[in-house]
């Protein structure tokens, strides 16, 4: 009974966060702050989520539902033909091992990050790159993200594999989210939207518990573009000012029934029960690592 | 015989054997200017049947054909008790219990192989930061079922073909993935009666030299292999079904536009009009692609996890994820063993000490170790 109640709270939390995210993407005007708890709040929340007991009398630890957005690479690729529970378990063990050595912080598309990699061709053997995360993907040890910056008027994008052992340090200089999940349109936007100083300092936030959503609307350069942005329902882009025939064609080509297609959503995601198991498995280890890091930071040995 | 044929035999006296068409050289005679030999194909295997939907005729019927019987729950419980009684757990075999004399390893020994499942692909990194694609192979619950000595094996159908011109070797039958005897026929279960094991879903034959023989019921685990050795992996490739000529043979097809009518992914011409005046056997056409026996040779083992019985092999193996493959020591002469491997197989140490859980190759970067600085 209690176990079912726990599962229900997890699923409710998932549903709420799903709807929150959907609300964000569907709104047209400026958006209010949608609270997505960071790892700090998540830790406190997780402690409170330990239910007194289920049928067997053991405490049931449930990871907070926000883990799905904070650590999306722990979820495997949903394609059923290539799934194997044992392999996913072994991969998760390896991922946690790597995370115990390097801190891979929570970040989202739209966060400004700095990555230091070991590079044989650099003068001091380490190369540091600062950029805005425009896309992230992959699952397991193959997880990657792309950082974009404009250096000497030249747009530069670098794809980093999160678990590559050449990476020495990943810092999040500005933790925020944007109105879209993928910021590939920055390639066709004016360069000032992708420019970040290479010596940028990490920004400290006043309110640590909420990841702010930056409601910035980006101005695009005049056409030709790399993709047909008018067909992609972008929220973070200013009015494209195209002739009406573009929007007519976009409507013809659009698939408005996809948002009602439950089976499509089901096939693209891992079911809630499995997510719960995966994150419960991973949660305690991540908590321990976070705790150790906090102690190290307080001592000042970082 | 036609005039053309006569002229051809006069000027090109090479004998055409039924098995292989030899490459014809350019003819320089003024009489045969118009003749060109366009087909330079070797069609030795074109008539051989590469795959069937049925097992060989000497196989015993495996899966139970019965319909759903309405058994009462009491009877079902009784059946389960009978199965449990019959297949009670045996104590694990220790190395000292082997009743055959311990034979020495020599470089010409052929050890047994192992049946495993390809559970996916994982990316790992070497010590210089280079990424390496590794296939994860899960060694299932292998047990030796029976040994067929060389003289007897050479008389069997397959053995006679394999050892036609060489000294015969023995054959070890290994089974993997124990299953409920309910789903199999009585004849299939009787194959395991001598050994007293639960019937296995999968059986495989491994050619072994007599000094690498294992007694029936011996378990084979991931420890059978050594990190850093080269293995060959046999599997059946991904079944693509009926495929067109572009995917199956790599044809270029036709132009996508510029007025091409109904010619985008077709084969085009299938022969000339003149020589032979027919379609030659082995002409590449659409058809069934995949589900073929293939060996990937010389793959290096980079990591072994003894706790979960998992082997990480550098490279990819034939077959889709979650398919069964067979792993055995490589036949490539330069990558064979120089030192003795666990012979005839690996047995956990008898003094109860647990083996090292995760063994890595020296070239790989271990995930818990500090980041690489070049």
């Amino acid at each position: 009974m209690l176990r079912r109640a726990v599962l229900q709270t997890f699923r409710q939390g998932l549903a709420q966060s799903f709807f929150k995210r959907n609300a964000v993407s569907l709104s047209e005007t400026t958006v209010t702050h949608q609270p997505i708890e960071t790892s700090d709040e998540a830790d406190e929340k997780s402690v409170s989520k330990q239910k007194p007991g289920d049928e067997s009398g053991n405490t049931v630890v449930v990871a907070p539902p926000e883990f799905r957005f904070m650590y999306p690479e722990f979820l495997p690729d949903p394609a059923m033909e290539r799934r194997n529970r044992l392999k996913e378990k072994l991969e998760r063990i390896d991922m946690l091992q790597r995370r115990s050595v390097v801190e891979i912080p929570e970040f989202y598309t739209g966060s400004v990050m700095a990555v230091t990699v070991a590079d044989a061709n650099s003068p001091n053997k380490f190369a540091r790159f600062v950029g805005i995360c425009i896309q992230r993907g992959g699952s397991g040890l193959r997880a990657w993200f792309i950082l974009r910056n404009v250096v000497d008027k030249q747009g530069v994008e670098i794809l980093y594999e999160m678990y590559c052992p050449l990476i020495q340090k990943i810092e999040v200089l500005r933790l925020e989210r944007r109105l879209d999940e993928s910021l590939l349109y920055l390639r066709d936007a004016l360069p000032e939207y992708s420019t970040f100083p290479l010596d940028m300092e990490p920004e400290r936030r006043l309110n640590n518990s909420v990841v702010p959503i930056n409601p910035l609307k980006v101005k695009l350069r005049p056409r030709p573009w790399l993709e047909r942005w008018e067909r992609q329902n972008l929220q973070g882009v200013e009015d494209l000012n195209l002739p009406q025939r573009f929007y007519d064609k976009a409507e013809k080509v659009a698939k408005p029934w996809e948002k009602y297609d439950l089976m499509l959503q089901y096939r693209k995601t891992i079911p809630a029960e499995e997510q719960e198991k995966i994150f419960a498995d991973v949660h305690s280890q991540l908590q321990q690592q976070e705790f150790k890091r906090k102690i190290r930071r307080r001592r000042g040995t970082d | 015989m036609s005039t053309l044929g006569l002229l051809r035999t006069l000027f090109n006296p090479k004998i055409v054997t039924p098995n292989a068409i030899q490459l014809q050289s350019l003819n320089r005679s003024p009489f045969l200017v118009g003749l060109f030999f366009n087909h330079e194909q070797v069609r030795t295997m074109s008539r051989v049947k590469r795959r069937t939907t049925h097992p060989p005729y000497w196989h015993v019927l495996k899966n139970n054909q019965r319909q759903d019987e309405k058994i009462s729950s009491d009877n079902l419980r009784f059946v389960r008790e009978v199965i449990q009684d019959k297949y009670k757990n045996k104590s694990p075999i220790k190395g000292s219990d082997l009743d055959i004399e311990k034979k020495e390893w020599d470089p010409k020994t052929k050890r047994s192989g192992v049946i495993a499942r390809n559970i996916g692909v994982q990316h790992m990194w070497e010590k210089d930061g280079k990424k390496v694609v590794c296939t994860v192979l899960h060694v299932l619950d292998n047990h030796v079922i029976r040994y067929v000595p060389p003289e007897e094996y050479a008389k069997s159908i397959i053995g006679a073909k394999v050892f036609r011109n060489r000294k015969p070797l023995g054959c070890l039958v290994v089974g993997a993935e124990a299953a409920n005897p309910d789903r199999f026929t009585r004849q299939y279960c009787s194959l395991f009666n001598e050994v007293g094991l639960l019937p296995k879903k999968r059986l495989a034959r491994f050619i072994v030299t007599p000094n690498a023989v294992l007694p029936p019921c011996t378990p084979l685990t991931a420890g059978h292999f050594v990190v850093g050795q080269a293995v060959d992996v046999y599997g059946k490739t991904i079944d693509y079904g009926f495929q067109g000529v572009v995917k199956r043979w790599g044809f270029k097809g036709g132009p996508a536009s510029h007025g091409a009518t109904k010619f985008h992914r077709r084969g085009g011409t299938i022969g000339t009009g003149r020589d032979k005046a027919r379609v030659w056997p082995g002409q590449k056409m659409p058809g069934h692609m995949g589900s073929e026996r293939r060996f990937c040779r010389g793959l290096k083992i980079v990591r072994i996890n003894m706790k979960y019985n998992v082997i990480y092999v550098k490279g990819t193996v034939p077959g889709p994820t979650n398919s069964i493959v067979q792993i055995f020591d490589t036949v490539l002469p330069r990558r064979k063993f120089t030192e003795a491997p666990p012979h005839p197989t690996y047995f956990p140490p008898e003094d109860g000490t647990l083996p090292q859980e995760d063994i890595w190759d020296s070239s790989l970067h271990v995930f818990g170790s500090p980041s690489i600085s070049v």
Side-chain angles (χ1 to χ4, degrees):
Chain A
M1 265 294 281
L2 280 162
R3 181 125 176 82
R4 223 183 299 146
V6 153
L7 192 65
Q8 268 184 357
T9 48
F10 181 82
R11 280 191 217 166
Q12 271 166 25
L14 260 188
Q16 277 166 21
S17 19
F18 179 73
F19 283 124
K20 277 181 208 164
R21 292 179 71 224
N22 259 4
V24 163
S25 59
L26 287 172
S27 70
E28 289 156 339
T29 52
T30 53
V31 153
T32 54
H33 275 230
Q34 298 291 343
I36 303 282
E37 281 101 13
T38 54
S39 23
D40 301 339
E41 179 112 322
D43 288 349
E44 291 149 31
K45 245 207 168 168
S46 69
V47 167
S48 65
K49 275 229 169 95
Q50 276 181 344
K51 298 285 171 189
D54 57 358
E55 300 98 34
S56 58
N58 300 327
T59 51
V60 174
V61 176
V62 178
E66 289 76 26
F67 264 42
R68 178 180 168 222
F69 306 111
M70 280 157 44
Y71 308 108
E73 73 269 10
F74 280 100
L75 294 176
D77 190 3
M80 268 320 284
E81 307 92 44
R82 273 174 266 128
R83 286 203 57 192
N84 186 286
R85 305 293 185 274
L86 175 63
K87 185 244 173 183
E88 284 153 26
K89 184 175 172 185
L90 294 171
E91 200 167 16
R92 260 178 266 134
I93 294 171
D94 285 338
M95 285 161 78
L96 289 168
Q97 288 271 306
R98 176 68 190 151
R99 273 176 179 261
S100 70
V101 175
V102 154
E103 189 202 346
I104 301 177
E106 170 204 1
F107 66 96
Y108 303 92
T109 318
S111 312
V112 181
M113 300 161 65
V115 174
T116 322
V117 283
D119 188 6
N121 305 317
S122 284
N124 47 346
K125 301 294 178 190
F126 293 113
R128 186 172 189 265
F129 185 73
V130 171
I132 180 170
C133 175
I134 58 171
Q135 207 181 26
R136 75 182 284 186
S139 60
L141 290 166
R142 292 188 296 278
W144 51 265
F145 58 89
I146 305 181
L147 294 186
R148 179 184 166 82
N149 204 341
V150 174
V151 175
D152 282 346
K153 295 186 187 169
Q154 172 65 54
V156 174
E157 286 179 15
I158 304 187
L159 187 149
Y160 290 103
E161 296 192 314
M162 277 157 72
Y163 292 90
C164 179
L166 289 169
I167 291 183
Q168 310 296 315
K169 202 173 184 189
I170 304 178
E171 303 159 89
V172 173
L173 305 174
R174 189 192 300 165
L175 178 63
E176 66 177 10
R177 301 175 73 197
R178 291 284 188 96
L179 295 170
D180 299 302
E181 283 306 311
S182 149
L183 299 177
L184 295 175
Y185 54 78
L186 289 178
R187 293 170 182 164
D188 282 326
L190 297 170
E192 55 252 29
Y193 293 102
S194 314
T195 322
F196 298 92
L198 292 171
D199 52 358
M200 190 166 160
E201 292 289 324
E203 291 171 13
R204 297 193 62 203
R205 291 179 297 130
L206 295 165
N207 186 2
N208 238 359
S209 60
V210 165
V211 176
I213 295 185
N214 189 346
L216 178 66
K217 299 260 186 187
V218 157
K219 222 180 266 185
L220 296 187
R221 282 199 298 255
R223 266 185 353 102
W225 293 328
L226 289 166
E227 287 184 43
R228 294 190 226 246
W229 302 118
E230 72 275 6
R231 295 189 185 185
Q232 289 189 26
N233 295 328
L234 299 172
Q235 302 302 312
V237 167
E238 257 192 34
D239 190 28
L240 297 169
N241 281 328
L242 292 169
Q244 186 54 39
R245 60 188 163 95
F246 284 90
Y247 300 113
D248 292 339
K249 199 61 194 294
E251 258 186 58
K252 255 197 189 173
V253 154
K255 296 182 190 172
W257 58 84
E258 271 190 351
K259 67 172 181 273
Y260 305 113
D261 194 348
L262 286 176
M263 280 313 293
L264 187 72
Q265 280 303 112
Y266 180 76
R267 277 193 294 268
K268 278 190 191 170
T269 51
I270 307 289
E273 300 90 348
E274 279 212 65
Q275 285 197 28
E276 190 202 45
K277 270 191 214 158
I278 290 171
F279 286 123
D281 192 21
V282 142
H283 171 62
S284 56
Q285 295 233 29
L286 283 171
Q287 243 191 334
Q288 274 176 22
Q289 285 171 9
E290 189 59 42
F291 189 60
K292 279 184 196 161
R293 283 207 186 94
K294 270 193 194 152
I295 293 175
R296 254 185 275 145
R297 249 178 262 152
R298 273 185 213 139
R299 284 189 198 152
T301 52
D302 217 340
Chain B
M1 205 197 281
S2 63
T3 352
L4 224 60
L6 195 66
L7 282 167
R8 203 182 294 154
T9 48
L10 285 173
F11 287 98
N12 299 314
K14 284 186 189 151
I15 303 161
V16 172
T17 59
N19 273 345
I21 305 283
Q22 287 145 2
L23 289 171
Q24 303 285 358
S25 53
L26 275 174
N27 54 74
R28 289 185 189 81
S29 162
F31 299 108
L32 302 167
V33 159
L35 272 180
F36 296 102
F37 283 102
N38 301 331
H39 296 280
E40 292 176 358
Q41 303 162 352
V42 175
R43 292 182 301 284
T44 32
M45 295 299 284
S46 70
R47 306 277 192 169
V48 172
K49 227 182 181 173
R50 298 204 307 267
R51 52 181 101 75
T52 56
T53 44
H54 57 84
Y57 67 86
W58 63 83
H59 274 202
V60 146
L61 184 67
K62 183 172 169 187
N63 290 318
N64 224 336
Q65 310 289 322
R66 64 176 165 79
Q67 280 82 34
D68 282 313
E69 292 167 4
K70 292 194 172 49
I71 314 179
S72 68
S73 50
D74 280 339
N75 284 345
L76 205 63
R77 217 178 299 133
F78 175 70
V79 166
R80 285 210 191 108
E81 277 175 23
V82 165
I83 291 172
Q84 275 181 4
D85 275 335
K86 189 176 177 196
Y87 297 105
K88 257 191 270 233
N89 281 336
K90 293 196 165 187
S91 56
I93 291 192
K94 298 179 203 156
S96 51
D97 290 351
L98 280 188
D99 43 354
I100 49 153
E101 323 88 71
K102 263 280 165 62
K103 297 204 174 138
E104 285 296 315
W105 179 85
D106 64 83
K108 297 232 167 171
T109 315
K110 269 176 118 81
R111 292 194 306 161
S112 165
V114 130
I115 303 175
R117 176 177 276 132
N118 167 12
I119 59 176
V121 150
Q122 184 166 304
H123 293 208
M124 305 226 259
W125 284 268
E126 288 182 348
K127 287 214 162 106
D128 56 358
K130 189 173 146 209
K131 189 158 90 169
V132 152
V133 168
C134 299
T135 314
V136 190
L137 301 167
H138 176 216
V139 175
L140 306 166
D141 55 331
N142 288 279
H143 282 99
V144 173
I145 307 296
R146 107 178 60 91
Y147 170 63
V148 181
E151 310 79 32
E152 207 184 306
Y153 190 51
K155 290 186 202 151
S156 69
I157 301 163
I158 296 280
K161 278 191 209 170
V162 173
F163 300 116
R164 194 173 293 142
N165 295 319
R166 51 193 185 111
K167 185 171 157 225
L169 297 172
C171 164
L172 214 55
V173 177
V174 173
E177 239 192 317
N180 192 350
D182 273 350
R183 57 179 284 166
F184 299 122
T185 54
R186 188 188 300 174
Q187 300 96 313
Y188 188 76
C189 291
S190 68
L191 297 171
F192 303 89
N193 278 341
E194 267 186 36
V195 210
L197 286 171
L198 273 171
K200 305 280 191 182
K201 271 195 213 167
R202 187 79 177 215
L203 287 173
R205 266 188 252 111
F206 294 108
I207 310 290
V208 290
T209 46
N211 69 336
V213 167
L214 292 163
C217 226
T218 318
L220 295 165
T221 54
H224 183 74
F225 297 104
V226 175
V227 162
Q229 78 165 96
V231 289
D232 292 344
V233 179
Y234 155 75
K236 277 196 133 182
T237 52
I238 298 175
D239 193 350
Y240 290 97
F242 195 101
Q243 284 298 335
V245 119
V246 168
K247 193 179 182 78
R248 194 180 184 211
W249 298 114
F251 281 18
K252 294 199 74 184
S257 65
H258 289 298
T261 13
K262 303 200 287 189
F263 184 70
H264 308 293
R265 296 181 70 88
R266 299 187 68 180
T269 186
I270 54 173
T272 61
R274 276 215 152 168
D275 44 277
K276 295 289 180 181
R278 61 186 170 92
V279 177
W280 286 38
Q283 172 63 40
K284 291 178 179 172
M285 283 187 165
H288 192 282
M289 177 183 169
S291 187
E292 300 201 41
R293 295 166 46 93
R294 286 289 184 267
F295 291 82
C296 263
R297 306 261 185 215
L299 302 174
K300 184 175 164 191
I301 293 182
V302 288
R303 182 178 167 192
I304 295 182
N305 190 320
M306 300 288 276
K307 182 178 168 195
Y308 292 100
N309 256 339
V310 153
I311 298 175
Y312 293 74
V313 138
K314 186 173 170 182
T316 49
V317 307
T321 312
N322 294 322
S323 67
I324 305 285
V325 297
Q326 292 171 22
I327 319 172
F328 37 90
D329 302 331
T330 193
V331 298
L332 301 178
R334 284 212 198 147
R335 301 190 203 187
K336 282 190 175 162
F337 280 116
T338 40
E339 299 170 343
H343 176 78
T345 187
Y346 168 81
F347 294 104
E350 276 157 50
D351 49 357
T353 54
L354 294 166
Q356 193 189 350
E357 196 186 295
D358 212 346
I359 314 167
W360 294 71
D361 189 40
S362 53
S363 66
L364 271 200
H365 169 261
V366 182
F367 282 114
S369 59
S371 306
I372 300 170
S373 42
V374 180

